[in-house]
Amino acid sequence: MEEKKLSVNNLVISFRTPGGKVQAVRNISFDLRKGETLAIVGESGSGKSVTSKAILGILAGNSIVEGGSIIYDGMDLLKVGEDEFYRIRGDRIAMIFQDPLSSLNPIMQIGKQLTEAMLLKGKARQKSSRTAFNTTLDRLAEAMAAARPSEGAQKASQMCKNFDRFEMKHIELEKAYGEAHEAAGEAGDAISDVLFHIEKNAFEDQKYSLKEIIRLSGETVNEYVVSGSDRERLKKLLEELKSCMNSEIRKKEYPETVRILKELSGILESALKKEQPDFSSMGCYLVDSGKPLPDMPIAQLNSFLKEYADEHFMNEFRAWMREALEYNAKTYNDKKKLVIDAIGERKQTFAGTDWDKKACQDAAAALCSAVNESIDPLEVEKDGEAYTFAETLKAAVSDYFEGIQKNRKAVALHDKQQKKYDGLKARGKEPGWKVPPSTAVDLDLVRDNVNAILDRMAAHYQERLENAKNVDFVGRMSGLEEFFKENASGVVMRITKRMAKYKALKLMEEVGITETRKRYRQYPFEFSGGMRQRIVIAIALAANPDILICDEPTTALDVTIQAQILELINKLKKDRNLSIIFITHDLGVVANMADRIAVMYAGKIVETGTSEDVFYSPAHPYTWALLSAMPDLETNERLEAIPGTPPNMIYPPVGDAFADRNKYALKIDFEMQPPMFQISETHSAATWLLHPDAPKVEPPKIVTDRIARMKLKGGAINAE
Amino acid sequence: MPNKDETLLRVEHLCQYFKQNKAVDDVSFEIKKGEVFGLVGESGCGKTTTGRSIIKLYDITSGSVYFKGERIAAGTRSYKLNIEAAKKKYEDELKELEQSGRSNEEKDKLRREKKEELDRYIAQQKQEIHSARADHRKHKVVTDIQMIFQDPIASLDPRMTVGQIIAEGLRIRGEKNKKELDEKVYQALEMVGLVREHAGRYPHEFSGGQRQRIGVARAVVMNPELIIADEPVSALDVSIQAQVINLLDDLRHKMGLTILFIAHDLSVVKYFSDRIGVMYFGKLVELADSDELFAHPLHPYTKSLLSAIPLPDPEYEKRRKRITYVPLRDHDYTVDQPTLREVLPGHFVHCNQAEFERYRRETGAADEA
């Protein structure tokens, strides 16, 4: 199974309003895996946007997070402070908002807004990457020294230092190569575009594109892309192009330009075909031997370099690293055993109903430190359960003792009001008000909660220990190397203003904005709605995030642009292995995007499954209603609109929230909330219709017809 | 049932230029009585401008709009261009005449003849301009055409009650009797599925779907013959979209309405419209019956548009390939300029002669197969 990126557990959020407490999100849980798209579908007011805002920590001031956790990268996002959140928000979790105008600064040029974050975050990222790189390397050195005490710490730290130098050199070389290679590709594309326009007799006033070609081609000069005699030829050609360009544009005849461009594209093509050298070994060779590279063809060079690097450094380093990892795993597994024992011992303190404050707090502190000590710092894939244990336990314990205090007051207040009410009743008066329910904390629940946290932790560690034999150390090693590489590139990557501008222009082009140079200097009010939305998407993508939350990104756009944007998001997902949460009310859009779908209604997830599950065998009446309200190209019969409006969530219904608008509602739907019924491994829905005793109900005809049609044609509606 | 063959609205060579920007460029179509005519295209292609030009929110640059046979809007630019062209032609001919080796008398005579001809032509064009202006001025307000706007929040005045909003049009038309006014407002409210009590409330008290219903009520209270619905559902949730579409469908049958339906959601347009016109950069590129258009799209832009529709079918979506439209690659208009031509009966495509013949071959082949 793919790595979990984000997991939301039992999230409950309400809003304080003058009318009462609105329950926006009622106990939802879901996981987001790496590289997948999870779509959350529902009407407006179903709590989908609130969930996404909670993930980003930008809930409105009147919101109350009543419970649950959102675990990301070993942190509980509901408990993270604002300072910490600066590092996450926009950088690692980015969001595309529904309303583009409200997320753009009206008095700032578009270009500035696009580059602002890049420039700011660029510096911060450089620093944080360096710290992450250094601390992990130090830990590795420690572990290496401990794993081989006979050979001493000296050697280990020397090796790590060497690794640092090699890695930085490697990344520098690779980055330079990558930029030149990319420039060559782009220049090639630009040239064929210009040639196409000239051939069609439609090339005019595109001075910029020729200039762009000159700039891009100039950037392709690199030892391994365009070098040697090619480089001289390229320079000569560019000079020629510069001198003839202006006069030919004026005359609107391009004999010289075409000749030069064709020659240029020949050079670039052969450059793109060249093999990529092994930079990792090259970095090692250059730094270690201090000698220049031997002159040989690339394939030969690669094997030479690899041999050199393996012999002189990598083999030894890898062996040490493996030992260090194994040693660490063993040490920390012992500590995990201690934690399990400690939990077993300390559980006594939390047993029964009468807790001793001092003893409980001591026990909690001891357990927290034990768990914190048992976390292996060399594990790149963070164990969310362990990382968030301390915070969660402390919060729960303090909830209990604060609750005792609060309850005294709350009970007294409630008793007073009840007395007054009873008094009035006794005198035969009918009071025009009701006694508000007591606000006392349910201490039993809190106690259960604390015990559940402990049990979960113990069970989790038990499982880890049982699996300890099957740990894939080769995989963990490559994970660690990948981690180092990522951070090293974060250190080497320096973003200048010019680069940021160039990147911004490219992003604008990528999201389909024409005349980017002119647009770059304009203000948000000069853009149409669709254009603004594209800018917002470009800004969200600029930071290169880990998780992208899209809150109705295409609702305001028309079909062609919607298709472009969706394709763009899909492409980015594939390229960068992004995890996406896609929020929308339009099921048609989702089929294209989602791997999994969660249908939300009135703050609850009513159905969840893979997109095939939800589209080919929907189970919840609300999903049926959504599907039947939407026309497709072959719909002829009358659409089935969903009658009524969503319920008022100040007084959430006792039973199924959708029962009032549901023509398939059973009697029990009005009395009791349905649990989640598992239909298949991936598919489940919360409706009493799935209960074994429920009558058999078929989905509406419009839905079954469509599904039959889709199956018949093998999903090829309108494919002619 | 209304007579399907009667033409309610005819748009001829409609042009709407905003300075250099040709928002609508030479668009012609007809809407029959009782039908729903869909207008689709991407944002900025001029579909909204077309709708607004018809209802005279803009003074059109050139072309004419006929409603029930009467010209209600007309532009003068084409006539002015004609005059200029004629003058230029006259001057060129004079120059030619000077250089030719005829005798002076003959030259004078020819000159006089040409001058007269030119004067006659100019006078005739000026007459046209005059009548166009007169027609344009005569029909200042056309209450038989009503409009429903895209954004139900922005198009309702927040300081007026729903009753006032709906009655405003009637009051402007000269309805004075308070009781009758109220009665009409109530009727309109009930017709769109709201209740009398809603008349006293303000727009912000309603949900999105209800607000759009108010917009519809405001349009139908005038008892119009033609409604221009400018993206009436694109700002609404899917479930509410269905409510509004069903409502428009009911009203259309009940009141015998004709609707010009402007939208970018092709599934909705296909579901709701009888005939569809596809616009691209101010030009009408294809016009056909909705089934015909979706079954045999001819113009490359229509094809690309159809290939972009997302469907609720994951298997299909995985295989769907979007076709991109690049005018320069797809057409060669260097020699022969394109016009709107009828490829099949009732199926018009914007193309030149070569393409026209190709399309005919394609459709012929498609029909046989």
Side-chain angles (χ1 to χ4, degrees), chain B residues 88 176 252 262 318:
Chain B
K88 192 151 188 297
K176 293 242 165 56
R252 167 192 172 201
I262 300 170
K318 269 176 207 143

mmCIF file of all heavy atoms in Angstrom, chain B residues 88 176 252 262 318:
data_model
loop_
_atom_site.group_PDB
_atom_site.id
_atom_site.type_symbol
_atom_site.label_atom_id
_atom_site.label_comp_id
_atom_site.label_asym_id
_atom_site.label_seq_id
_atom_site.Cartn_x
_atom_site.Cartn_y
_atom_site.Cartn_z
ATOM 1 N N LYS B 88 -13.935 55.714 -53.026
ATOM 2 C CA LYS B 88 -12.585 55.332 -53.405
ATOM 3 C C LYS B 88 -12.575 54.792 -54.844
ATOM 4 O O LYS B 88 -11.714 55.138 -55.661
ATOM 5 C CB LYS B 88 -12.064 54.263 -52.441
ATOM 6 C CG LYS B 88 -10.585 54.013 -52.573
ATOM 7 C CD LYS B 88 -10.005 53.555 -51.264
ATOM 8 C CE LYS B 88 -8.488 53.481 -51.344
ATOM 9 N NZ LYS B 88 -8.014 52.507 -52.324
ATOM 10 N N LYS B 176 -50.365 50.925 -13.067
ATOM 11 C CA LYS B 176 -50.493 51.825 -11.908
ATOM 12 C C LYS B 176 -51.265 51.180 -10.771
ATOM 13 O O LYS B 176 -51.007 51.449 -9.608
ATOM 14 C CB LYS B 176 -51.216 53.113 -12.345
ATOM 15 C CG LYS B 176 -50.404 53.938 -13.314
ATOM 16 C CD LYS B 176 -50.091 55.298 -12.723
ATOM 17 C CE LYS B 176 -48.983 55.987 -13.496
ATOM 18 N NZ LYS B 176 -49.284 56.130 -14.928
ATOM 19 N N ARG B 252 -41.550 27.096 -20.283
ATOM 20 C CA ARG B 252 -41.492 27.156 -21.729
ATOM 21 C C ARG B 252 -42.728 26.475 -22.324
ATOM 22 O O ARG B 252 -43.335 26.995 -23.257
ATOM 23 C CB ARG B 252 -40.213 26.449 -22.163
ATOM 24 C CG ARG B 252 -40.116 26.143 -23.579
ATOM 25 C CD ARG B 252 -38.970 25.200 -23.770
ATOM 26 N NE ARG B 252 -38.971 24.741 -25.127
ATOM 27 C CZ ARG B 252 -38.366 23.639 -25.528
ATOM 28 N NH1 ARG B 252 -37.721 22.901 -24.650
ATOM 29 N NH2 ARG B 252 -38.413 23.287 -26.776
ATOM 30 N N ILE B 262 -27.922 30.886 -23.323
ATOM 31 C CA ILE B 262 -26.476 31.079 -23.454
ATOM 32 C C ILE B 262 -25.796 30.343 -22.309
ATOM 33 O O ILE B 262 -26.140 30.562 -21.156
ATOM 34 C CB ILE B 262 -26.128 32.570 -23.392
ATOM 35 C CG1 ILE B 262 -26.836 33.311 -24.523
ATOM 36 C CG2 ILE B 262 -24.635 32.776 -23.462
ATOM 37 C CD1 ILE B 262 -26.740 34.803 -24.407
ATOM 38 N N LYS B 318 -10.794 7.971 -18.570
ATOM 39 C CA LYS B 318 -9.382 7.593 -18.652
ATOM 40 C C LYS B 318 -8.920 7.554 -20.100
ATOM 41 O O LYS B 318 -7.770 7.765 -20.401
ATOM 42 C CB LYS B 318 -9.169 6.236 -17.992
ATOM 43 C CG LYS B 318 -8.834 6.409 -16.527
ATOM 44 C CD LYS B 318 -8.699 5.092 -15.816
ATOM 45 C CE LYS B 318 -9.024 5.294 -14.348
ATOM 46 N NZ LYS B 318 -9.745 4.189 -13.771
#
